[in-house]
Amino acid sequence: MPAVSKGDGMRGLAVFISDIRNCKSKEAEIKRINKELANIRSKFKGDKALDGYSKKKYVCKLLFIFLLGHDIDFGHMEAVNLLSSNKYTEKQIGYLFISVLVNSNSELIRLINNAIKNDLASRNPTFMCLALHCIANVGSREMAEAFASEVPRVLVAGDTMDSVKQSAALCLLRLYKTSPDLVPMGEWTSRVVHLLNDQHMGVVTAAVSLITCLCKKNPDDFKTCVSLAVSRLSRIVSSASTDLQDYTYYFVPAPWLSVKLLRLLQCYPPPEDAAVKGRLVECLETILNKAQEPPKSKKVQHSNAKNAILFEAISLIIHYDSEPNLLVRACNQLGQFLQHRETNLRYLALESMCTLASSEFSHEAVKTHIETVINALKTERDVSVRQRAADLLYAMCDRTNAKQIVSEMLSYLETADYSIREEIVLKVAILAEKYAVDYSWYVDTILNLIRIAGDYVSEEVWYRVIQIVINRDDVQGYAAKTVFEALQAPACHENMVKVGGYILGEFGNLIAGDPRSSPLVQFNLLHSKFHLCSVATRALLLSTYIKFINLFPETKGTIQEVLRSDSQIRNADVELQQRAVEYLKLSSIASTDVLVRAGGTGGRRLPPGPRAGTGWLRGAGNGARGLSPPGGAGSHLAPGRGLAGWAGWGMGHRPDPSTPSPSADLLGLRAAPPAGSAAPTTAGNLLVDVFSDNTSATSGLAPSTEDNFLSLPVMQPGSCQPQMLGLYIGSEGHRQGLAHLFSPPPPRGRFVCKNNGVLFENQLLQIGVKSEFRQNLGRMYLFYGNKTSVQFQSFTPIVTYPAGAQLNIQTKAVEPLVEGGAQVQQVLNIECLSDFTLAPLLNIKFRYGGTLQNITLKLPVTLNKFFQATEMLSQDFFQRWKQLSQPQQEAQKIFKANHPMDSEVTKAKLLGFGCALLDKVDPNPDNYVGAGIIQTKSLQVGCLLRLEPNAQAQMYRLTLRTSREPVSRHLCGLLAEQF
Amino acid sequence: MRSAGRPGPGSVPGQVERGGPDGTGPAGGGGAMMRFMLLFSRQGKLRLQKWYLATSDKEKKKMVRELMQVVLARKPKMCSFLEWRDLKVVYKRYASLYFCCAIEGQDNELITLELIHRYVELLDKYFGSVCELDIIFNFEKAYFILDEFLMGGEIQDTSKKSVLKAIEQADLLQEEDESPRSVLEEMGLA
């Protein structure tokens, strides 16, 4: 492009722009641009110095190219040069380029700042304004550092022109927003407040913006602005439509300034001064009155400007929330807008009414518009307006209209835009729970939600319905019936299958009496959906099946058949395969009794109190913190708290992290415990706990085949094993708090050979134990120490001994208040009635700082505590040994030493275990032989034991012979763990 | 842009997470301010962009693309406001151009709509029945006028006279500098 002579204006630029516009393709445009860039580059690099005009033109071209969306990496220097030109247009283009293209390039910033400084000092108002604009446009921290103290000076200087004052005020505002710390407060602040009285409306307009921002951080410094703003507002509101000349906009006096003043007032509470307040109320009334007057113009600009002020006034009225009269008037006004032909007004009225609905003064007034709002939800053509209508319905919902609103929302959901379905689903779920009077309505609503918009029903929602059903037995039968019916649909949503699987697994028995929903029908119905479901759902269904085997023994054959099929037991998915294998095994080896506990129905079937759940929670505690059965979360959400957690959702917040989230992994599928040193024992412990709590048949010491089964988790620490068991006992787990999840599980069997020590300790509580036993009686002292400085309230330790009555434990309740730092004592009197394997449980509940803590422990009462040592001679020993030679009388374990094989320690342990150590009985002096009698009220069991260490192999062989098979096995297991 | 038009087409959900009756917080919670203003054509060509909050170029491009798509998809007669990301968008179509402002939660939508109109009036007064081409060929003037009207996202002066006086003064200086040329003449090709 040939150089253009000076007088030609920017024709070169115009030509270039039209060239670009004539380009037929993107490629052509890029080509043209590259040509131009090359040209400009050569001009800038050329030997000949460019004059200001050419620089301006090329810089302007670069700017154009940049605005087309291309990157510009040169020309900054030339632009900076233009800043120091004394020709206005060159300077202006320079500043424009800088404000559009410079973010913070430190090299240039210094040069730019220099130019700005010169212009600020020039006393030429046009140049000063350019400089201020540039500062505001760039608005970087460097700019703030350089000018934050200079700009306030310009703003309040007596001789500053009005136009410069306006720019300075807004420039300062921008700097304050970027770097509030750099803007020094000082005596200028009071002068700024008085700009509200300025003659020049433009200055006032700019100043209000600045003050509104400053007063938020320093409300006291700017307090005087309230009365000034009120009097200014009052003057504007009462002025005739022509008084303000150029500041009247379509017959509305100073709408922008009015809106800004009303905003400023929203930074403060209602004025205390009665006169000021009276004047303000008068203003607000006038604004409300004006809304009723006939329009002065038919132009939309007139009504928009007028209504802009009205909406801002209503915002202020809502902000004060103290003038019932004004609130109701505002509500009526908005009610009129709800049916206005302008979409914009309907939108804003719906939005504004949402906030009115939360004021006690106007809530009822808002409710009167329910039909209009429902109609809006149905008929508005614009989804954003419909969304406002849904918001308003949600906001105005209370107990009186909940059913209507929920049913309208549900029917809207059938046709709702995809973009807002999830939100509507959440709203419906929250309202249904919050205002449920009878829970069958709640269940219906949620199942309808799943039916209509299953994809949008989040896990939280369907977990929640299960929690509620589990916690409310009055609705369980209804839920089972309803979900059974819902599953009849040929195509039902997977979420429905999940809910169905869970609810039928737990409560299917409640409808099993009806031949139309007999156990097999239920099973076949669920299984017909099985193959279409995802892995997670199929895993859930498998668990349902094992529950079915327990609930309905008649289904056992069919279900075992299913579990045994290749598609289950050889499923490619590890989780499914493992479940199938284990459930199959469980169903074939375990007695009904085991299944009752393990099958997850325990929570309902058994008397309240922690049992199976304990072992799991404590055992899996370290590894699987996020793991929580559905009820597990729900239970501490006492109904009230649950709602509080939920209310947050509607606002788009997540539930408070400190509240156990209802979304905690229901199935525990996701939370694999980290493999760690504790994992194997933990997992093993878990299984032992689950099983040993039941019958001796599958106690933790089970030999032979069961060994494999039980040791599975040990072989696979970190597998999903613990979670799976969590599932078996899921519904019982919900009675547990999670507090003890955070304390490490005590090493198993610590108290088998000793009677005193610290039983439990976490950050809050320490429990010490001291005990003594004689014959079949024992006394145990428990010491509960409050480690915090805060009182524990409702402190209730309860001892439970669940299955059977082999132990008789008596105690007194302790004081419900435990002061910070204090210790309380509890005495247990224990009587052993017969031989037993289960340890009694100690459950401690208390409130600490408002949260319920719930801890469950095993009491260190084991069968060996009732040992009475018996001395005997070698020949007596061998004679008795031979008498007890039937296979079931003997229990034997061969195991690896877990501790150094020290004979003194071993002896101490054996003595601690309770038997007598017999010297010179065994021909091998390294072996230990012991004898004793287990004393119970109903019977005495003679015990002989022999421990053979093999130091070389670091192994032991332990043999127990007693007259009772369970006792042999139990004692053998207990003792084997001690070495 | 005489045909001071109706708001433009399109229907895209103003989704963004919405709360229930949550707007009651102390008014003016966020600094009330315009975040950016865009002018673009019906064909999706960006004609002017003004950012009032530091934003990276990448982010700017992404936001422009996204918002243009949203607004262009809306149908006429739809309301001029929509929620987009965490902002409120106020837009209005004048002939072939969309004027689009992003404001913060507490800001007044209607007054923003009229702010757009006032800017159009200023352009119109300055160019004399402004059209898209005026803004293409005199983009720098469009920026200058906007700067006189808005600063840092806040309205500087609402008086048409004051704003135009400032611009005319500048033009006067320009004409002293250079040979007098009217805007139309200068473009030649328009």
Side-chain angles (χ1 to χ4, degrees):
Chain A
M1 186 144 291
V4 182
S5 67
K6 218 176 177 180
D8 272 351
M10 293 221 278
R11 171 172 283 165
L13 175 66
V15 169
F16 174 60
I17 293 174
S18 67
D19 276 2
I20 295 286
R21 284 178 55 74
N22 289 333
C23 286
K24 294 277 182 288
S25 65
K26 193 81 193 163
E27 290 72 34
E29 182 185 308
I30 291 173
K31 211 174 145 198
R32 179 69 186 85
I33 285 169
N34 285 337
K35 186 180 154 203
E36 193 63 37
L37 286 174
N39 172 43
I40 298 171
R41 219 184 288 260
S42 73
K43 294 287 178 201
F44 284 170
K45 278 194 185 151
D47 305 331
K48 219 174 77 190
L50 286 178
D51 58 9
Y53 168 79
S54 306
K55 259 190 223 160
K56 173 181 94 172
K57 186 183 69 187
Y58 292 130
V59 165
C60 211
K61 279 183 180 175
L62 287 178
L63 193 55
F64 182 78
I65 294 170
F66 177 78
L67 291 170
L68 279 179
H70 302 270
D71 293 332
I72 295 294
D73 53 7
F74 68 102
H76 299 75
M77 206 54 201
E78 285 72 15
V80 173
N81 285 342
L82 285 176
L83 297 185
S84 40
S85 162
N86 50 11
K87 288 191 178 141
Y88 181 76
T89 54
E90 289 171 14
K91 199 186 269 294
Q92 198 182 23
I93 295 288
Y95 272 126
L96 181 60
F97 185 93
I98 300 294
S99 23
V100 173
L101 264 110
V102 172
N103 281 327
S104 67
N105 181 330
S106 59
E107 280 301 304
L108 283 172
I109 281 287
R110 228 173 302 131
L111 293 168
I112 296 167
N113 284 356
N114 218 18
I116 291 175
K117 238 172 226 149
N118 291 338
D119 281 336
L120 274 186
S122 71
R123 307 183 67 79
N124 174 338
T126 326
F127 286 6
M128 286 172 87
C129 282
L130 276 182
L132 289 166
H133 272 117
C134 183
I135 298 172
N137 277 328
V138 176
S140 63
R141 192 154 175 94
E142 290 89 344
M143 285 280 180
E145 275 163 5
F147 301 108
S149 48
E150 174 69 4
V151 179
R153 213 183 42 73
V154 173
L155 175 60
V156 296
D159 57 348
T160 303
M161 300 260 298
D162 287 337
S163 63
V164 179
K165 267 190 204 163
Q166 285 169 263
S167 300
L170 295 180
C171 178
L172 186 57
L173 169 58
R174 177 66 202 267
L175 293 184
Y176 185 77
K177 278 185 177 162
T178 324
S179 322
D181 53 312
L182 293 177
V183 178
M185 293 293 140
E187 67 73 57
W188 61 271
T189 50
S190 62
R191 297 227 232 150
V192 166
V193 175
H194 283 94
L195 288 179
L196 288 177
N197 273 335
D198 202 280
Q199 300 260 304
H200 191 282
M201 294 282 274
V203 172
V204 185
T205 309
V208 182
S209 297
L210 175 62
I211 295 167
T212 306
C213 181
L214 292 175
C215 76
K216 275 177 199 145
K217 288 235 174 79
N218 323 282
D220 289 340
D221 295 353
F222 292 87
K223 237 180 3 215
T224 45
C225 74
V226 174
S227 61
L228 292 177
V230 169
S231 63
R232 191 91 214 191
L233 181 69
S234 156
R235 267 182 281 161
I236 296 170
V237 169
S238 58
S239 64
S241 53
T242 50
D243 286 358
L244 299 171
Q245 296 164 1
D246 209 30
Y247 288 89
T248 298
Y249 180 85
Y250 291 87
F251 303 101
V252 181
W256 281 278
L257 182 54
S258 306
V259 167
K260 284 187 175 202
L261 289 167
L262 287 163
R263 280 211 78 70
L264 171 61
L265 291 170
Q266 288 172 60
C267 300
Y268 287 92
E272 282 158 20
D273 183 319
V276 176
K277 183 163 184 197
R279 208 166 169 197
L280 178 56
V281 168
E282 210 171 280
C283 281
L284 294 171
E285 278 170 346
T286 313
I287 293 170
L288 284 169
N289 291 340
K290 278 190 178 172
Q292 296 298 325
E293 289 170 10
K296 294 194 175 67
S297 156
K298 285 201 169 131
K299 287 241 162 82
V300 69
Q301 283 76 25
H302 171 72
S303 71
N304 279 351
K306 199 164 110 174
N307 291 328
I309 300 172
L310 178 64
F311 277 107
E312 206 61 60
I314 291 175
S315 291
L316 182 62
I317 292 168
I318 295 171
H319 168 68
Y320 287 162
D321 198 14
S322 61
E323 301 284 330
N325 176 35
L326 289 176
L327 281 163
V328 170
R329 279 194 68 184
C331 187
N332 294 338
Q333 183 59 55
L334 294 176
Q336 286 181 19
F337 286 156
L338 285 182
Q339 313 208 41
H340 202 279
R341 60 185 170 78
E342 277 277 325
T343 314
N344 287 346
L345 284 182
R346 295 197 303 275
Y347 176 97
L348 294 174
L350 289 166
E351 185 181 60
S352 193
M353 242 187 205
C354 257
T355 48
L356 273 178
S358 57
S359 163
E360 53 171 320
F361 300 115
S362 48
H363 183 78
E364 288 303 316
V366 170
K367 274 169 63 185
T368 60
H369 299 287
I370 184 166
E371 297 301 334
T372 319
V373 181
I374 287 172
N375 199 41
L377 186 67
K378 285 178 178 162
T379 58
E380 282 290 350
R381 284 194 288 169
D382 185 344
V383 60
S384 30
V385 184
R386 290 197 295 274
Q387 175 145 27
R388 288 295 84 82
D391 286 348
L392 179 52
L393 283 179
Y394 178 79
M396 67 163 70
C397 191
D398 61 19
R399 212 164 276 284
T400 63
N401 56 19
K403 282 206 173 171
Q404 186 188 7
I405 286 177
V406 165
S407 93
E408 291 295 347
M409 281 187 169
L410 271 176
S411 67
Y412 171 60
L413 199 53
E414 308 244 15
T415 54
D417 309 72
Y418 295 110
S419 56
I420 59 174
R421 283 194 176 191
E422 182 166 6
E423 198 193 310
I424 301 269
V425 165
L426 208 52
K427 284 192 162 76
V428 169
I430 293 167
L431 292 178
E433 183 182 339
K434 199 169 171 184
Y435 298 116
V437 183
D438 70 288
Y439 279 84
S440 55
W441 174 71
Y442 169 75
V443 169
D444 281 343
T445 304
I446 303 296
L447 293 185
N448 266 330
L449 272 185
I450 297 175
R451 191 177 51 75
I452 296 168
D455 281 345
Y456 299 89
V457 173
S458 58
E459 290 182 330
E460 288 95 330
V461 171
W462 75 261
Y463 288 0
R464 189 70 187 143
V465 72
I466 288 173
Q467 284 167 13
I468 287 184
V469 169
I470 285 174
N471 288 327
R472 299 200 61 97
D473 40 16
D474 52 334
V475 80
Q476 287 160 356
Y478 182 80
K481 178 171 157 286
T482 320
V483 79
F484 177 78
E485 281 161 9
L487 285 172
Q488 301 293 329
C492 59
H493 195 272
E494 192 167 331
N495 280 338
M496 188 69 88
V497 179
K498 288 179 183 164
V499 173
Y502 208 95
I503 288 186
L504 292 181
E506 292 290 326
F507 310 113
N509 58 326
L510 300 178
I511 56 167
D514 188 328
R516 286 166 300 176
S517 53
S518 71
L520 265 179
V521 173
Q522 287 184 39
F523 170 75
N524 287 332
L525 181 60
L526 284 174
H527 199 58
S528 69
K529 319 281 181 193
F530 186 90
H531 300 279
L532 298 171
C533 291
S534 65
V535 168
T537 307
R538 279 190 271 165
L540 186 152
L541 285 178
L542 288 180
S543 301
T544 300
Y545 297 168
I546 189 77
K547 294 179 193 172
F548 265 48
I549 292 181
N550 163 50
L551 279 176
F552 316 116
E554 64 266 39
T555 61
K556 184 169 174 176
T558 315
I559 290 174
Q560 282 183 332
E561 199 62 35
V562 168
L563 293 175
R564 205 175 286 127
S565 70
D566 277 359
S567 61
Q568 310 300 347
I569 212 158
R570 294 189 208 286
N571 195 295
D573 185 90
V574 172
E575 174 70 31
L576 292 180
Q577 189 191 90
Q578 192 164 8
R579 283 193 189 217
V581 170
E582 290 178 2
Y583 290 160
L584 186 60
K585 194 78 183 162
L586 189 64
S587 70
S588 52
I589 60 164
S591 69
T592 327
D593 194 26
V594 173
L595 285 171
V596 167
R597 310 280 160 65
T601 55
R604 221 160 24 82
R605 284 282 178 79
L606 297 170
R611 252 180 318 279
T614 317
W616 163 66
L617 282 171
R618 197 184 47 194
N622 275 347
R625 206 160 279 196
L627 181 154
S628 165
S635 58
H636 345 243
L637 300 174
R641 258 185 97 186
L643 290 175
W646 272 54
W649 297 8
M651 317 301 166
H653 307 306
R654 308 314 307 166
D656 178 9
S658 65
T659 318
S661 155
S663 65
D665 191 358
L666 171 61
L667 301 173
L669 291 177
R670 289 176 304 199
S677 58
T681 48
T682 310
N685 193 6
L686 144 83
L687 277 166
V688 169
D689 283 351
V690 168
F691 287 89
S692 65
D693 277 353
N694 298 297
T695 65
S696 51
T698 49
S699 85
L701 315 165
S704 67
T705 55
E706 280 140 272
D707 256 340
N708 283 338
F709 179 53
L710 290 168
S711 56
L712 243 178
V714 181
M715 297 188 295
Q716 302 185 331
S719 78
C720 48
Q721 197 68 24
Q723 287 87 337
M724 291 181 56
L725 279 151
L727 181 83
Y728 302 169
I729 54 171
S731 62
E732 185 161 14
H734 76 266
R735 299 187 191 279
Q736 313 284 322
L738 290 177
H740 48 306
L741 277 182
F742 299 96
S743 61
R748 185 176 158 81
R750 216 159 28 112
F751 287 92
V752 168
C753 298
K754 63 174 187 171
N755 289 333
N756 307 328
V758 175
L759 181 62
F760 171 84
E761 181 156 26
N762 70 5
Q763 289 176 336
L764 308 178
L765 179 69
Q766 188 192 56
I767 304 174
V769 63
K770 247 180 157 174
S771 50
E772 48 191 356
F773 296 88
R774 185 167 302 158
Q775 301 215 326
N776 69 325
L777 299 176
R779 178 168 291 172
M780 181 174 283
Y781 299 86
L782 292 168
F783 303 94
Y784 304 101
N786 180 346
K787 288 171 68 182
T788 71
S789 53
V790 183
Q791 194 183 52
F792 291 162
Q793 288 159 334
S794 322
F795 188 84
T796 32
I798 297 170
V799 175
T800 49
Y801 189 66
Q806 292 99 332
L807 284 177
N808 180 8
I809 302 175
Q810 291 186 333
T811 183
K812 281 191 190 133
V814 298
E815 274 296 308
L817 292 182
V818 183
E819 295 299 336
Q823 193 182 61
V824 296
Q825 178 187 329
Q826 188 180 28
V827 185
L828 310 180
N829 289 313
I830 304 163
E831 184 184 16
C832 179
L833 304 174
S834 173
D835 63 300
F836 64 98
T837 51
L838 284 178
L841 293 173
L842 174 66
N843 173 248
I844 301 137
K845 285 200 182 93
F846 59 95
R847 290 200 161 273
Y848 167 72
T851 29
L852 186 66
Q853 306 289 327
N854 191 339
I855 297 166
T856 304
L857 305 165
K858 280 192 173 182
L859 278 177
V861 181
T862 44
L863 187 57
N864 64 297
K865 300 290 179 195
F866 304 97
F867 238 136
Q868 193 178 25
T870 319
E871 296 287 349
M872 60 179 78
L873 294 172
S874 173
Q875 64 224 51
D876 293 335
F877 182 85
F878 281 111
Q879 191 187 350
R880 288 175 202 218
W881 186 263
K882 277 176 199 147
Q883 282 167 0
L884 298 168
S885 59
Q886 287 171 36
Q888 68 268 33
Q889 292 173 329
E890 180 184 287
Q892 188 172 72
K893 269 193 178 244
I894 298 169
F895 53 91
K896 252 196 139 44
N898 282 320
H899 303 284
M901 297 176 80
D902 182 316
S903 75
E904 285 313 306
V905 174
T906 306
K907 273 185 196 162
K909 279 182 179 164
L910 286 170
L911 288 170
F913 192 66
C915 59
L917 268 183
L918 307 181
D919 275 335
K920 297 178 186 140
V921 170
D922 200 297
N924 181 344
D926 289 333
N927 293 347
Y928 305 91
V929 172
I933 299 167
I934 298 286
Q935 301 277 0
T936 75
K937 193 179 179 194
S938 59
L939 55 108
Q940 300 186 337
V941 185
C943 302
L944 305 175
L945 71 83
R946 186 180 191 206
L947 181 68
E948 301 157 89
N950 180 338
Q952 212 167 2
Q954 291 284 304
M955 301 279 283
Y956 288 101
R957 180 163 71 185
L958 175 66
T959 314
L960 255 287
R961 285 191 180 185
T962 77
S963 52
R964 284 175 64 82
E965 180 204 38
V967 175
S968 307
R969 208 185 295 161
H970 184 55
L971 291 179
C972 183
L974 283 176
L975 189 55
E977 282 183 9
Q978 301 303 315
F979 302 98
Chain B
M1 255 157 268
R2 268 293 118 67
S3 53
R6 291 254 151 222
S11 134
V12 162
Q15 29 170 216
V16 179
E17 286 224 337
R18 284 284 308 173
D22 191 25
T24 33
M33 164 174 109
M34 190 184 293
R35 290 283 193 82
F36 59 85
M37 186 187 219
L38 304 177
L39 264 66
F40 50 88
S41 70
R42 228 163 23 158
Q43 290 76 34
K45 289 260 186 199
L46 187 60
R47 296 303 181 202
L48 179 142
Q49 50 175 324
K50 188 78 191 176
W51 300 82
Y52 295 111
L53 202 70
T55 313
S56 74
D57 283 344
K58 199 177 151 205
E59 182 64 12
K60 279 182 190 170
K61 279 185 184 162
K62 195 173 156 226
M63 289 169 88
V64 168
R65 206 170 45 235
E66 207 177 288
L67 187 57
M68 276 204 294
Q69 215 174 16
V70 171
V71 172
L72 288 174
R74 287 176 69 86
K75 298 189 191 75
K77 291 250 182 190
M78 283 196 159
C79 88
S80 310
F81 319 125
L82 55 104
E83 294 192 327
W84 179 75
R85 297 192 176 191
D86 57 337
L87 298 172
K88 288 199 288 204
V89 169
V90 177
Y91 73 94
K92 187 159 178 175
R93 185 178 148 185
Y94 289 87
S96 60
L97 267 192
Y98 283 89
F99 289 68
C100 186
C101 295
I103 55 176
E104 291 173 357
Q106 299 285 320
D107 287 350
N108 191 308
E109 293 99 336
L110 281 176
I111 207 74
T112 309
L113 200 57
E114 291 318 300
L115 180 144
I116 290 174
H117 187 76
R118 178 44 52 111
Y119 179 49
V120 173
E121 282 184 351
L122 289 167
L123 292 172
D124 205 55
K125 192 102 178 173
Y126 181 79
F127 288 110
S129 192
V130 68
C131 67
E132 192 183 341
L133 280 181
D134 293 321
I135 294 171
I136 297 172
F137 280 94
N138 301 284
F139 68 94
E140 80 281 11
K141 290 279 188 284
Y143 277 97
F144 295 149
I145 294 172
L146 184 59
D147 268 353
E148 283 301 327
F149 180 49
L150 287 178
M151 185 169 173
E154 296 280 349
I155 198 156
Q156 173 164 239
D157 204 328
T158 63
S159 157
K160 238 192 314 196
K161 272 187 203 151
S162 314
V163 176
L164 288 176
K165 210 171 82 190
I167 296 291
E168 276 157 15
Q169 244 174 7
D171 277 351
L172 219 63
L173 285 169
Q174 182 168 10
E175 280 158 26
E176 285 163 11
D177 290 345
E178 292 158 14
S179 60
R181 277 190 165 273
S182 77
V183 180
L184 273 169
E185 250 181 298
E186 192 175 306
M187 307 190 308
L189 298 147

